[in-house]
Amino acid sequence: MTLTSTSIRVRRARTSDVAAIQALVDPLVQRRILLGKDAVVFYESVQEFRVAETDDGTLVGCGALHVMWRDLAEVRTLAVADEWLHAGIGHALLSRLEDDARELGLSRLFCLTFEVEFFSKHGFVDMGDETVDPEVYAELVRSHDEGVAEFLDLARVKPNTLGNTRMLKHL
């Protein structure tokens, strides 16, 4: 499929989209590309999600923007249905999430990904050993959010990570 043959719309997710979001994410969880989440987590964070849908309302992609700090957010759960890969869906979703980040006044985006080539094409770079100021670190380390722990590269998340790359983009 291509975007030229079918119209795709990226919009804010609704609670009624959660089952379809889970259906998009589950195959990636099974292939150990994304970490699994309980339905309650999707409902709790539905306001962070954007979805890509076809003219007939079929969800073909999703992605979330999770604010971590005053200038920093994580791009999470970016997923595209297999039959829609390489059709521009991921690009459209990421562009919308970046627009949302700018609207919120954020200047940095983080992601933890296996899709290094995709994110590199969109201006993300491997974080390496990059860290945050000690004062910000002291605040972030208090968070119970696993994404924040992954951003900080805390030892407690290392057994849970799947070998992905920590990447950052300056907006």
Side-chain angles (χ1 to χ4, degrees), residues 10-28:
V10 176
R11 62 166 174 80
R12 179 178 296 281
R14 303 178 193 113
T15 56
S16 58
D17 296 323
V18 168
I21 290 170
Q22 281 189 290
L24 283 169
V25 171
D26 281 346
L28 299 172

Side-chain angles (χ1 to χ4, degrees), residues 49-68:
F49 274 86
R50 299 293 183 253
V51 294
E53 69 179 354
T54 61
D55 294 331
D56 68 0
T58 302
L59 261 57
V60 295
C62 66
L65 182 73
H66 179 78
V67 175
M68 297 166 63

Side-chain angles (χ1 to χ4, degrees), residues 13 17 40 58 68-69 76 94 102 139 149 167 169:
D17 296 323
V40 68
T58 302
M68 297 166 63
W69 195 245
R76 293 184 169 178
L94 184 56
R102 286 184 190 94
E139 291 293 327
M167 300 185 80
K169 178 177 182 172

